[in-house]
Structures are given as structure tokens and as C-alpha cells.
Amino acid sequence: MGNNKSTVSGRYVLVVGTASFLLAIIFFWFSELLAGKVKSLFLSFLFLVIIILIGIVADIVGTAVAAAEESPFHAKAAKRVRGAREGVYLIRNADRVANICNDVIGDIAGTVSGALGIALVLQILLYWKGINQALLNMMVTALIAAFTVGGKAAGKRIAISRANEVIFLVGKLLAAFEQLTGISVTRKKYRRAGK
């Protein structure tokens, strides 16, 4: 498994760094827009939960891809099982997949959830003006941290114990995406690897 892992190049680091910078700006702008336009406490809370869940799911995938074994996917790929080739691609590029999932998506989700938390505090203050703002800020920040860290801890347990299942599911989703859009993310690179 270790010999098949790709190595991170300087170009990749530059591309990921630039993409992270741009995505952070886009997501922050989007969260600010939501904070200004959405006046519903329920919707603000729902957006916050969705962002936290995205961060947790990304962390599960990033952990699972580092723990998954390549060989079971070859047997499935030989039988033309959908998602198996994509699973091999993910495992062979485990360092990049883990970096994108754990660092890029995870960090952006953390930043955006913090911004949405501030927006939620401001909306709560509009409804209940007597609440202490500092205490409310502390409670919302603590709850976001608790759900994020707790969710990732539970997710890591799933990711490590069921790594192949997680990556196979992600492989199926990638295969469905490729079929629906016609955009080939993994197939050519899988063939080039000689399998």
C-alpha cells in the first residue's frame, strides 16, 4: 500500500494553496451574504449544521483514504464493479486526497462555521436583546467546537474501522459524477497506472 501512494509536488502545493485562498474568499463572502440576507434563525442554524457536517464528512474521507487497502479494489475492478477503479485512484493519491479533505475542505469549513456562528449570535441578539453578547459568543463558539471535534472523533473511528467501505462509497459517487457530467476525474489516470 505504501509504495503506491503519490508524492506531493511543489506545483501541487502551489495549486492547492491558491485554490484554498480563493475558496476561502468565496465561502467567506457567501457566509457574509447569508448572514445579511437570511433573517431566519432556523435557516442560519441549518446552514451552520450543514457546514459542520461537510467538515466532518471530509475528515472521514481523508482519514479513510490513508487507511484503506488497494488490493480489494482490484478484485472489484476486474469484475467491472462501479466505483472500484475510482477507489484505486483515491488510494494511490491518498496524500493528495487526505490533504484536500482534511486540510483544504476541513479548514475552510472551520472558517465558514466560525463566520456563521458570529452571524447566528447577531441574529439571536436581535430577537433577545437582553442576552449578554460575550456569554452568547462564548457559548456558540464552544458548541461549534464541541460538535466539530466530537463529530470528527466519531468519524475517525468509522473511517479507520471501515476504511475500504468509505472509499468504495466515495468511488461510487465519483463514478456517478463522471457518468452524469462526462468529466473524467480518475479513469485515464487509473489506466496509466497499468492496472
Side-chain angles (χ1 to χ4, degrees):
M1 183 177 81
N3 293 334
N4 289 330
K5 306 295 185 191
S6 63
T7 54
V8 175
S9 66
R11 182 181 170 197
Y12 170 78
V13 171
L14 182 64
V15 168
V16 167
T18 305
S20 300
F21 178 78
L22 294 173
L23 283 170
I25 289 172
I26 290 165
F27 277 105
F28 185 78
W29 175 80
F30 183 67
S31 64
E32 287 288 303
L33 184 68
L34 283 176
K37 299 288 183 186
V38 178
K39 300 299 179 188
S40 166
L41 270 177
F42 173 75
L43 284 177
S44 295
F45 180 74
L46 182 64
F47 286 134
L48 178 59
V49 169
I50 289 168
I51 293 296
I52 290 171
L53 286 175
I54 287 170
I56 292 169
V57 170
D59 192 74
I60 290 170
V61 175
T63 303
V65 78
E69 295 290 335
E70 191 177 318
S71 52
F73 288 89
H74 288 300
K76 288 185 174 115
K79 296 175 184 175
R80 298 188 180 276
V81 177
R82 178 180 287 188
R85 284 175 177 257
E86 289 76 12
V88 172
Y89 172 81
L90 291 170
I91 294 167
R92 286 183 175 174
N93 292 279
D95 52 352
R96 295 182 180 196
V97 175
N99 175 248
I100 290 166
C101 290
N102 295 75
D103 301 326
V104 178
I105 298 173
D107 290 352
I108 290 172
T111 303
V112 174
S113 64
L116 288 173
I118 292 167
L120 189 64
V121 165
L122 293 174
Q123 287 182 356
I124 292 170
L125 287 170
L126 288 175
Y127 284 93
W128 295 286
K129 297 185 187 297
I131 294 178
N132 184 296
Q133 186 174 351
L135 182 63
L136 185 61
N137 268 330
M138 183 183 71
M139 289 301 296
V140 170
T141 303
L143 283 170
I144 290 170
F147 281 119
T148 302
V149 175
K152 285 184 178 182
K156 275 184 170 59
R157 194 171 180 180
I158 295 166
I160 291 168
S161 63
R162 298 186 175 184
N164 287 356
E165 293 170 50
V166 170
I167 297 307
F168 186 44
L169 177 60
V170 177
K172 283 182 176 178
L173 293 173
L174 268 176
F177 171 80
E178 288 181 346
Q179 187 176 23
L180 284 171
T181 63
I183 299 168
S184 179
V185 178
T186 62
R187 292 185 188 279
K188 288 179 184 175
K189 292 177 184 178
Y190 177 91
R191 287 190 190 120
R192 239 183 261 144
K195 295 285 183 182

